[in-house]
Amino acid sequence: MSNILTGIPASAGIAIGKAFSLEAPDLSVEKKTDVDIDQEIDAFDKALETSKGELEKIKEKTKQDLGDEHAEIFSAHLLVLSDPEFVDTVRNKVKNENVNASFALKEISDQFVTMFESMDNEYMKERAADIRDVSTRVLAHVLGRPIPSLVEIDEEVVIVADDLTPSDTAQLNKQFVQGFVTNIGGRTSHSAIMARSMEIPAVVGTKSVTSDADKGVTVIVDGLEGSVIIDPSDEEIASYRAKQEKHEEQKREWAKLVHEPSKTKDGELVELVANIGTPNDLEGVKNNGAEGVGLYRTEFLYMGRDDFPTEDEQYEAYKKVIEEMDGKPVVIRTLDIGGDKELPYLDLPEEMNPFLGFRAIRLCLEKDDMFRTQLRALLRASSYGNLKIMFPMIATLDEFRQAKAILEEEKERLVADGVNVSDDIEVGIMVEIPSTAVMAKQFAKEVDFFSIGTNDLIQYTMAADRMNEQVSYLYQPYNPAILNLVKMVIDASHAEGKWTGMCGEMAGDEVAIPLLLGLGLDEFSMSATSVLPARSQIVNLTKEETKAVAEKALTLNTAEEVKQLVDETFLNN
Ligand code: PEP
Ligand code: MG
């Protein structure tokens, strides 16, 4: 009998494959004495060899996918494995103390990690992380409980995990990974957002998939409805294959609009643009007919490596995106690290509430050098097209003024050095914090544009963690509180002759689209795969009708009432 789980639909589509668990194995070790020394040393040496082979493979794959710079971290790991100081010390401990290899390895690696961590030298501190990583890999092999690795997947699978980090998600190989299912997370957790841009069907927040889906069992992921069928019957597989085909057919229908304008029946033009995480996402942007990039999340450039990207590296990435968009608008957001996006080499203290903590612009204003490097890279790239710069997580006018002043200083410096910098760069902010939405009138006098980041704006307004499926019932894009904040921002920008976009996931939501259109939103930025469905919806609406419905929605009592109003008026539900 199949088992059906319900979760949150995170990325559209149907996937069928064998479960591949990413659960970390238990690597606890016990001390054993009076062991067979030769056998223990042999086990250790074999584990070293296997680990080397794996690391070589991962390094090669990373090099191909992400470039030399990202692959370097694995060279450092390989060095640890051939460092006699480390491996001989483990062997000697086994010999001299007559203990098991796993115990010796754990003790020695802990000693090395503590020693490196206490050094007053950044480079040495980073080596501690390398040793910890490598030792865990070797230990897993000594214990015969290998750590599952995404890079090594070579058959069609559905990934099953408690959660996927954004860097796990970046490693997913679309050739083999058909879909993924997690225990935790919400529609706006970054793994879900990345799944959409990679077009991998996903369901998150099922609470129990890791315990329900055994390795190798067939799993169906319905990323349209949010259900997961474990060990389906032949009839269920056939019925989902048919659903998959219907979805493909729908996509072919949408594709007919790829070169059409995003215009309502009564002639209102809006802009439908895409959110991207890396220059690799540009193909999806073009194939899906997006009219520009409304949000380039630059933090992915900083992730999955062990040091900051250089100014030149950043310049190349920004230039590539700006150039390839060929004069179409490209909104690049400055570093928004923090929350669920970690940067281990920044070495920040752990926080009780990372989403309310030292993140994004707060961190950039403090780490001035890092911020200036990014701004210079952006300014240098600006002459290749239509760049707009956007600061994330702005809570006060003062933060915006400080960030803008630093940008101006760097611009003056570059111009003085004879560097070509566009003199037409719009500078805007993300509206993600309720204080900023409430103060939109004041902000509108100083910024060139707003982009409403509803993923965060909703979590901060409703005090409901966007990652926590236990409170996902409070994560309500259609709540009149949210709609009223959105209206305040749009109206404030229009009163000053400025424009407002939205780059949170709400911008691509079928229920929200008519409301946002009616409220006067100018630019809708979404996962590239949502652009064509959104366009097919917009070309069948009139501005006049949506305006009346939006006005009514603002006065309703609950999110449910709003949804019902939109369903009845526009979605024939
Ligand atoms: C948002 O908060 O809506 C947003 C687009 O930013 P991110 O999802 O990267 O936090
Ligand atoms: Mg945000």
Side-chain angles (χ1 to χ4, degrees):
M1 260 283 281
S2 60
N3 178 8
I4 302 181
L5 302 181
T6 308
I8 300 164
S11 177
I14 308 285
I16 304 177
K18 295 213 177 312
F20 181 94
S21 170
L22 269 192
E23 278 301 270
D26 174 11
L27 295 182
S28 50
V29 295
E30 258 176 67
K31 181 176 181 178
K32 289 187 195 145
T33 46
D34 277 336
V35 295
D36 179 335
I37 291 178
D38 289 342
Q39 205 176 322
E40 292 298 316
I41 291 191
D42 194 43
F44 176 62
D45 287 347
K46 284 206 175 100
L48 280 179
E49 278 317 302
T50 315
S51 304
K52 267 187 205 160
E54 283 173 357
L55 284 168
E56 296 281 6
K57 239 161 104 181
I58 298 175
K59 184 178 154 192
E60 211 31 59
K61 171 94 180 45
T62 311
K63 203 158 142 180
Q64 277 168 19
D65 292 355
L66 301 167
D68 284 348
E69 224 17 80
H70 285 263
E72 268 318 293
I73 185 163
F74 300 109
S75 304
H77 288 192
L78 281 161
L79 275 181
V80 176
L81 288 184
S82 47
D83 181 357
E85 276 247 37
F86 179 64
V87 294
D88 285 348
T89 315
V90 176
R91 288 190 191 108
N92 289 339
K93 190 172 174 79
V94 172
K95 271 188 225 157
N96 301 339
E97 298 179 24
N98 197 354
V99 289
N100 50 324
S102 53
F103 177 75
L105 170 61
K106 181 85 178 75
E107 290 268 299
I108 300 297
S109 66
D110 284 352
Q111 278 171 23
F112 272 68
V113 167
T114 315
M115 182 175 80
F116 280 108
E117 267 176 350
S118 64
M119 288 185 184
D120 201 16
N121 171 321
E122 273 314 305
Y123 177 80
M124 289 303 178
K125 281 189 176 154
E126 280 163 20
R127 297 291 72 77
D130 293 339
I131 292 174
R132 193 181 297 112
D133 260 30
V134 174
S135 315
T136 310
R137 177 176 295 278
V138 180
L139 182 62
H141 286 299
V142 175
L143 292 169
R145 297 173 211 144
I147 300 166
S149 158
L150 285 170
V151 186
E152 286 156 39
I153 295 173
D154 55 6
E155 57 175 344
E156 292 194 348
V157 296
V158 166
I159 303 285
V160 165
D162 188 45
D163 190 17
L164 282 176
T165 63
S167 67
D168 283 337
T169 318
Q171 285 182 56
L172 297 179
N173 180 345
K174 266 190 73 176
Q175 190 190 346
F176 301 119
V177 177
Q178 304 292 297
F180 74 76
V181 188
T182 63
N183 288 341
I184 66 170
R187 227 189 111 71
T188 62
S189 47
H190 284 93
S191 51
I193 291 172
M194 288 176 74
R196 285 196 283 284
S197 65
M198 295 168 81
E199 299 190 40
I200 296 178
V203 173
V204 299
T206 61
K207 297 193 178 84
S208 62
V209 70
T210 50
S211 45
D212 292 338
D214 292 333
K215 184 167 184 267
V217 71
T218 301
V219 174
I220 299 177
V221 184
D222 181 347
L224 298 163
E225 307 283 341
S227 45
V228 179
I229 296 92
I230 298 167
D231 200 9
S233 64
D234 290 347
E235 290 76 34
E236 281 170 318
I237 294 184
S239 131
Y240 275 94
R241 288 261 179 242
K243 190 167 179 184
Q244 194 174 34
E245 182 44 43
K246 203 164 153 219
H247 182 62
E248 291 305 319
E249 199 179 300
Q250 170 87 83
K251 278 171 49 183
R252 287 191 286 274
E253 247 338 277
W254 287 331
K256 294 181 184 155
L257 293 171
V258 74
H259 300 300
E260 295 299 312
S262 310
K263 199 197 248 172
T264 61
K265 280 199 287 194
D266 52 352
E268 176 85 1
L269 258 182
V270 290
E271 234 177 317
L272 287 188
V273 292
N275 295 345
I276 64 168
T278 77
N280 294 341
D281 295 339
L282 286 176
E283 200 186 318
V285 173
K286 291 180 197 159
N287 293 343
N288 286 287
E291 295 153 289
V293 170
L295 167 65
Y296 176 1
R297 289 184 165 94
T298 56
E299 42 283 359
F300 293 110
L301 207 61
Y302 291 69
M303 289 161 62
R305 48 188 296 152
D306 60 0
D307 205 354
F308 292 103
T310 62
E311 181 182 318
D312 280 347
E313 253 177 89
Q314 295 192 53
Y315 161 74
E316 291 299 338
Y318 306 150
K319 175 172 168 242
K320 180 159 199 267
V321 174
I322 295 169
E323 234 174 9
E324 286 205 19
M325 288 316 292
D326 199 18
K328 296 197 178 95
V330 174
V331 182
I332 304 189
R333 172 174 80 182
T334 59
L335 184 63
D336 180 16
I337 213 71
D340 65 334
K341 292 171 287 192
E342 290 175 14
L343 218 54
Y345 56 87
L346 255 181
D347 216 12
L348 294 171
E350 209 152 287
E351 298 185 324
M352 295 278 283
N353 290 301
F355 273 103
L356 299 180
F358 187 45
R359 56 173 294 201
I361 199 70
R362 304 165 185 190
L363 193 117
C364 285
L365 291 175
E366 182 79 22
K367 300 212 173 267
D368 190 61
D369 280 358
M370 176 185 85
F371 191 40
R372 286 177 190 271
T373 304
Q374 179 171 40
L375 295 177
R376 271 196 308 275
L378 284 167
L379 290 163
R380 284 170 54 200
S382 67
S383 58
Y384 292 91
N386 184 359
L387 168 68
K388 302 174 198 296
I389 296 176
M390 164 160 92
F391 302 123
M393 294 290 295
I394 294 284
T396 66
L397 253 174
D398 193 45
E399 282 175 342
F400 171 68
R401 288 176 182 155
Q402 278 185 56
K404 174 111 192 260
I406 296 175
L407 177 69
E408 289 302 326
E409 268 175 39
E410 290 308 323
K411 185 174 169 187
E412 272 167 35
R413 257 185 227 167
L414 285 171
V415 172
D417 287 347
V419 177
N420 222 349
V421 177
S422 162
D423 52 12
D424 197 18
I425 308 172
E426 289 187 16
V427 182
I429 60 167
M430 293 200 57
V431 182
E432 300 172 276
I433 301 180
S435 62
T436 303
V438 172
M439 294 284 283
K441 274 191 186 158
Q442 287 88 329
F443 274 101
K445 295 192 193 320
E446 303 192 25
V447 304
D448 294 324
F449 66 92
F450 291 124
S451 183
I452 307 178
T454 46
N455 302 343
D456 280 317
L457 184 64
I458 298 168
Q459 79 164 343
Y460 297 135
T461 306
M462 306 297 295
D465 183 343
R466 64 194 261 192
M467 306 279 289
N468 185 341
E469 71 289 347
Q470 303 280 3
V471 294
S472 63
Y473 75 99
L474 283 172
Y475 199 87
Q476 301 180 347
Y478 326 129
N479 189 299
I482 304 296
L483 300 179
N484 278 282
L485 286 176
V486 168
K487 177 181 164 55
M488 283 169 80
V489 178
I490 296 174
D491 289 352
S493 69
H494 291 174
E496 294 293 334
K498 313 283 170 70
W499 59 273
T500 295
M502 180 178 284
C503 57
E505 294 302 305
M506 184 177 172
D509 179 300
E510 125 181 287
V511 176
I513 286 172
L515 298 168
L516 298 170
L517 196 59
L519 292 173
L521 191 74
D522 303 288
E523 177 233 48
F524 296 64
S525 191
M526 58 192 72
S527 309
T529 46
S530 300
V531 167
L532 290 172
R535 186 170 296 148
S536 81
Q537 199 183 353
I538 287 172
V539 297
N540 286 308
L541 293 169
T542 63
K543 172 74 191 250
E544 203 184 320
E545 217 180 353
T546 56
K547 205 167 160 197
V549 169
E551 268 164 26
K552 173 133 192 247
L554 293 168
T555 67
L556 294 177
N557 299 306
T558 64
E560 204 33 61
E561 285 176 18
V562 172
K563 181 167 185 309
Q564 203 177 343
L565 173 69
V566 176
D567 277 350
E568 282 165 4
T569 322
F570 299 114
L571 304 176
N572 304 320
N573 289 331

